[in-house]
Amino acid sequence: MAASLGSTSHVVLIFYLLSAFGQFAPLAEAAPRAFFVFGDSLVDSGNNNYLATTARADSPPYGIDHPSHRATGRFSNGLNIPDLISQRIGSEPTMPYLSPELTGQKLLLGANFASAGIGILNDTGVQFVNIIRAPAQLDYFKQYQQRVSALIGPESTKELVNKALVLITLGGNDFVNNYYLVPLSARSRQYKLQDYVPFIISEYKKILLRLYDLGARRVLVTGTGPLGCVPAELAQHSTNSECATELQNTASLYNPQLDDMLAVLNQEVGSHVFVGVNTRKMHNDFMSNPVAYGFVTAKIACCGQGPYNGIGLCTPMSSVCPNRDVYAFWDAFHPSERASRLIVEQIMIGTTEYMKPMNLSTMLALDSNQF
């Protein structure tokens, strides 16, 4: 196996305690490194703009609060989670891999391979037709390394990738855009839920192992949020603003099994490569008490139509709230930029309730000694 980036448990604990008191925040924000992003619409920064697909966010009012004030392909009113992580590690936002502008020295900053609509399974998101499924994202990552090798040589490329930060977000679509997409879907007829969850977890493990084989050594792996509480599900299933019970139960099954799988993976590779990000708890904090976080609502989307603004995505014909900062959700499925900032804050400094086995500030502090 590759050289470990891990540490003994007592060293990790010391660094963790120090980071909790802010000792390593300056290091975390002053150590640019390559950043790679894989996954679905929660982290897509515009790859789907270059594809013939309906899963896209390249028209207004998407991007209304982006620095460019234009729709960039991000499913957000402004910046998304990868952008905000880039800010915190002192780097430029990762560019979509399919962007023709991602050439030359820009490649050395990393790349975003994510594609809205995909899941762990290849049959997830078939209704969106032309999207970059997980195996293809990893193929692009391999191609990326070949391109960078032509610039700086294979050894320097290997070092760049090994030292890079990686974010991967998958899983939610395997439920909302597959298992529960239609009544009696093919997957729901094939598997009972209690069998479907371990099946997709086992398939996810294969993806993560391939990512490791391709050189990733620091990987943030997000769980699913509170699936039954997003505006889209409230619009379809709620009669009294209550969350959809079955989807909530699904997230309760999926996230602990994901944590267990990541722990096993780390044991197998002999290092703290994979870090679990408890996005469900992060969302639940401000959804259970939105006023405490400055939101007027965590149920109604800022942009959309129908009940809870939860029918479909944003379009130029949608109603749009005047102040996006007081809405936890931007559209039927995706957080507002401000909600994403709260999530990234927990990624940076959260306790082990939010980040296992360590938060990003601790990880970067440890790595600053390794590198």
Side-chain angles (χ1 to χ4, degrees), residues 13-24 362:
L13 178 61
I14 291 169
F15 275 100
Y16 182 83
L17 291 171
L18 288 171
S19 71
F21 288 98
Q23 296 298 310
F24 292 126
T362 302

Side-chain angles (χ1 to χ4, degrees), residues 223-226 248 251-252 255 277-285:
T224 67
Q248 287 297 88
S252 296
N255 287 309
V277 181
N278 190 345
T279 44
R280 186 177 188 221
K281 178 166 177 53
M282 295 173 185
H283 276 91
N284 278 342
D285 283 351

Side-chain angles (χ1 to χ4, degrees), residues 211-275:
L211 193 54
Y212 181 86
D213 289 341
L214 288 169
R217 293 297 180 269
R218 284 300 196 195
V219 185
L220 303 174
V221 184
T222 67
T224 67
L227 296 173
C229 298
V230 300
E233 299 305 326
L234 294 177
Q236 295 178 63
H237 303 295
S238 182
T239 56
N240 193 29
S241 295
E242 77 281 4
C243 298
T245 303
E246 190 165 4
L247 276 165
Q248 287 297 88
N249 291 341
T250 296
S252 296
L253 281 175
Y254 175 82
N255 287 309
Q257 291 187 45
L258 176 63
D259 282 346
D260 291 344
M261 182 265 282
L262 296 179
V264 170
L265 259 182
N266 283 335
Q267 290 177 349
E268 291 178 2
V269 302
S271 181
H272 295 306
V273 171
F274 300 100
V275 174

